[in-house]
């Protein structure tokens, strides 16, 4: 008995407090929006801003520039060496002086430079692949954040509509209580229901704010000024929201109709186009080029030299000196007696095998990602196909009929509550499924290696 009294006294008060807080927050939010009006952020504009701001893309771009510089350096020829020497000897009245100037140039007979250039080229291509992978990862994260923001905004619309429906039902109930048609319990019960919807609305408003902040973090646009496409209040069904999502994605991204394809063809396409796999393969080729370079470095690198020689001979104090002029030529060859580079060759071979194994691991991971994404997408589409007949315009018409029947006293409060809850749960379930399908479709496109945006969009 005591617990029931506490329930009757405090729970309605808490519900009304939630309603009061919610209604008091709305003017403050409106005034803040008036001070900094939000602008509609398209998905393409959001991507352009994110590409300019994202540090991972900048890091990958600078890595490409650095790899290109190393490739140019690897192609440079070795500098010649200029040497000059003077030798002067004397004994008694005899003197001899020699001046020798020569240029020495190493000769790459083993092909070390070509192997070095090949390794640098593969590493530059791997850096370019990692840049593409960084952009694709940013695209996937941005599309997810954008869709989450749209879904949260639509969820706010649904809960706001349910809150207004409960408020209208409470107003009708209060009129019927004053007229003596129903007992006071109906009004108190509807106040609890109104507080329940107010609390849920406040919760989804906070979630919507969090999604906008995530989108603002990616794009650099203040969260207060981020606005995503939404539906009109009169057409806030899950079916209409799905059509809005398709419209937004069709304007900014390539079509994602991949579910009809066979799993094997999707896996083959992913293995041929994924940027991270291409980068891993280029790293493996660079490792093989390093192994070839280490093997060629075992051969001595000879050098040829050519130059000028001048000699002056003085036989005595009174004798005329004799000057001789000519050229010098020669070559040098290091003798691999102590260091045969065996350890360096073995290490390079082992590193090449390690990188190749890592590329195989990336290939297996990509295959698993494609199959998991395809399975998840097909499961979500099957669930939506089961739920689709019970949503849309027909369900909204049924809800309006229920509201009219309750206003005219044809159904009880319990029947009205059950109908409203059933409609709300169905619409929220459809919203979740629609959002998941679009997200999983985008995830499948990313797993296959397709760019989520057209090639004409800005990439810098």
């Amino acid at each position: 008995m005591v617990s029931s009294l506490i329930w009757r006294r405090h729970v309605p008060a808490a519900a009304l407090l939630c309603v009061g807080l919610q209604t008091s927050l709305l003017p403050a939010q409106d005034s803040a929006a008036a001070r900094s009006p939000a602008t509609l952020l398209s998905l393409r504009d959001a991507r352009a801003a994110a590409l300019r701001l994202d540090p991972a893309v900048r890091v990958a771009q600078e890595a490409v520039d650095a790899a290109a510089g190393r490739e140019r350096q690897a192609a440079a020829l070795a500098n010649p060496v200029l040497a000059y020497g003077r030798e002067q000897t004397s004994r008694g009245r005899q003197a001899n002086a020699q001046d020798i100037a020569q240029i020495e140039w190493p000769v790459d007979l083993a092909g070390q430079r070509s192997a070095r250039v090949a390794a640098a080229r593969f590493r530059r291509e791997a850096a370019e692949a990692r840049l593409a992978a960084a952009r694709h990862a940013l695209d996937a994260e941005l599309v997810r954040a954008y869709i989450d923001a749209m879904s949260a905004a639509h969820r706010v619309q649904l809960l706001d509509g349910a809150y207004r429906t409960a408020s209208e039902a409470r107003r009708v109930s209060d009129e019927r209580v004053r007229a003596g048609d129903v007992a006071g319990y109906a009004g108190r019960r509807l106040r609890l229901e109104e507080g329940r919807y107010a609390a849920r609305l406040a919760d989804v408003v906070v979630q919507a704010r969090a999604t906008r902040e995530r989108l603002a973090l990616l794009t650099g646009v203040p969260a207060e000024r981020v606005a995503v496409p939404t539906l009109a209040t009169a057409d806030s069904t899950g079916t209409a929201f799905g059509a809005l999502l398709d419209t937004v994605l069709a304007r900014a991204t390539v079509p994602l109709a991949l579910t009809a394809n066979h799993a094997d063809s999707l896996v083959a396409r992913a293995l041929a186009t994924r940027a991270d796999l291409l980068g891993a393969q280029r790293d493996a080729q660079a490792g093989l080029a390093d192994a070839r370079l280490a093997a060629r470095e075992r051969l001595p690198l000879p050098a040829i030299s050519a130059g000028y020689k001048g000699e002056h001979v003085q036989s005595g104090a009174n004798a005329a000196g004799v000057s001789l002029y000519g050229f010098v030529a020669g070559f040098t060859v290091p003798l691999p007696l102590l260091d045969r580079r065996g350890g360096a060759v073995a290490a390079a071979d082992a590193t090449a095998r390690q990188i190749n194994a890592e590329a195989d691991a990336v290939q297996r991971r990509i295959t698993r990602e494609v199959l998991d994404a395809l399975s998840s997408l097909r499961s979500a589409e099957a669930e939506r196909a089961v739920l689709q007949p019970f949503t849309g315009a027909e369900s909204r018409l049924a809800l309006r009929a229920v509201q009219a029947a309750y206003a005219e006293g044809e159904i009880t409060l319990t029947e009205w509550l059950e109908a409203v809850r059933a409609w709300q749960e169905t619409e929220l379930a459809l919203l979740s499924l629609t959002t998941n399908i679009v997200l999983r479709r985008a995830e499948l496109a990313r797993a296959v290696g397709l760019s989520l945006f057209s090639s004409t969009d800005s990439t810098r």
Side-chain angles (χ1 to χ4, degrees):
M1 179 65 69
V2 175
S3 61
S4 62
L5 289 175
I6 294 176
W7 172 268
R8 293 175 185 173
R9 291 179 181 176
H10 296 287
V11 173
L16 292 177
L17 178 60
C18 291
V19 176
L21 289 175
Q22 180 66 30
T23 55
S24 64
L25 286 174
L26 292 178
Q29 295 171 356
D30 294 340
S31 62
R35 290 194 299 271
S36 58
T39 56
L40 186 63
L41 182 66
S42 68
L43 186 55
R44 185 171 299 180
D45 293 340
R47 190 214 182 203
L51 283 175
R52 291 191 299 267
L53 186 65
D54 187 64
V57 173
R58 297 204 308 270
V59 168
Q61 181 62 58
E62 296 301 330
V64 170
D65 296 340
R70 285 190 288 268
E71 182 183 9
R72 291 194 302 272
Q73 183 59 41
L77 296 173
N79 290 321
V81 177
L82 174 62
Y84 170 78
R86 177 178 176 83
E87 180 180 345
Q88 184 170 346
T89 59
S90 63
R91 180 179 180 182
R93 295 182 179 182
Q94 295 181 350
N96 188 343
Q98 295 180 358
D99 294 292
I100 301 175
Q102 61 180 354
I103 294 179
E104 183 178 287
W105 202 314
V107 179
D108 184 10
L109 298 179
Q112 297 178 12
R113 176 175 169 271
S114 61
R116 192 176 294 110
V117 170
R121 183 180 72 253
F122 288 135
R123 287 194 169 86
R124 189 255 306 162
E125 293 175 355
E128 291 174 348
R130 282 190 286 270
L131 174 59
R135 286 172 176 164
H136 290 170
L138 178 62
D139 290 345
E141 184 178 5
L142 180 66
V143 168
R144 174 175 288 277
Y146 198 88
I147 293 174
D148 286 341
M150 290 182 61
S151 177
H154 185 63
R155 197 176 296 271
V156 169
Q157 283 186 326
L158 288 178
L159 269 299
D160 182 67
Y163 171 71
R164 286 186 283 104
T165 300
S167 300
E168 178 64 18
R170 181 180 61 82
R171 185 190 64 79
V172 172
S173 177
D174 290 343
E175 292 178 356
R176 294 171 65 181
V177 168
R178 286 192 295 270
D181 295 337
V182 296
Y185 164 77
R188 291 191 294 272
R189 180 67 182 85
L190 282 174
R191 285 188 180 89
L192 288 177
E193 196 70 17
E194 187 179 9
R196 175 173 171 267
Y197 284 118
R200 296 188 63 182
L201 177 60
D203 182 56
V204 297
V205 166
V206 171
Q207 295 177 8
R209 167 74 183 187
T211 59
R212 291 198 305 273
E213 289 178 348
R214 180 186 173 196
L215 191 58
L217 182 64
L218 290 174
T219 60
V221 180
E224 294 77 9
R225 302 188 60 185
V226 172
V228 294
T230 55
L231 292 169
T233 306
D235 189 18
S236 58
T237 61
T239 304
F241 177 70
L244 176 64
L245 276 178
D246 293 339
T247 301
V248 170
L249 294 178
R251 288 177 179 175
T253 64
V254 297
L256 304 179
L258 297 173
T259 55
N261 294 6
H262 196 270
D264 292 340
S265 63
L266 292 177
V267 170
R269 188 171 185 176
L271 296 180
T273 58
R274 278 284 292 264
D276 50 351
L277 179 58
L278 178 62
Q281 291 172 343
R282 292 297 180 266
D283 284 334
Q285 291 173 324
L288 293 176
D290 286 338
R292 290 194 298 270
L293 175 61
R296 292 175 183 180
E297 285 178 344
R298 301 184 67 175
L299 300 177
L301 189 64
I304 60 175
S305 59
Y308 161 83
K309 179 179 181 179
E311 183 176 359
H312 182 76
V313 180
Q314 183 73 35
S315 300
N318 299 323
V322 178
S323 297
L324 304 175
Y325 305 96
F327 70 92
V328 293
F331 69 95
T332 59
V333 178
L335 297 178
L337 299 178
L338 302 178
D339 183 9
R340 297 177 178 271
R341 307 291 296 171
V345 172
D349 290 339
T351 301
R353 293 192 299 269
Q354 174 191 350
I355 299 175
N356 189 65
E358 292 174 353
D360 292 340
V362 173
Q363 181 174 340
R364 291 172 62 89
R365 174 175 58 81
I366 288 174
T367 302
R368 185 172 63 252
E369 287 179 0
V370 172
L371 296 178
D372 291 345
L374 181 60
S375 176
S376 299
L377 176 58
R378 288 176 174 173
S379 298
E381 288 179 338
E383 293 179 17
R384 187 178 65 173
V386 173
L387 189 62
Q388 193 76 41
F390 305 100
T391 59
E394 293 296 331
S395 65
R396 180 166 286 278
L397 289 176
L399 177 64
R400 291 174 181 172
V402 169
Q403 293 173 349
Y406 177 74
E408 295 174 1
E410 297 179 359
I411 61 175
T412 64
L413 173 63
T414 302
E415 292 173 330
W416 178 86
L417 290 176
E418 291 179 352
V420 170
R421 288 178 182 175
W423 175 83
Q424 182 191 16
E425 291 174 359
T426 303
E427 287 296 328
L428 289 176
L430 181 61
L431 169 62
S432 298
L433 284 175
T434 302
T435 303
N436 287 338
I437 286 174
V438 175
L439 290 176
R440 291 173 182 178
R441 196 176 296 166
E443 174 62 23
L444 178 59
R446 185 205 64 80
V448 171
L450 293 178
S451 176
L452 295 178
F453 291 83
S454 60
S455 59
T456 57
D457 292 337
S458 173
T459 57
R460 292 299 299 263

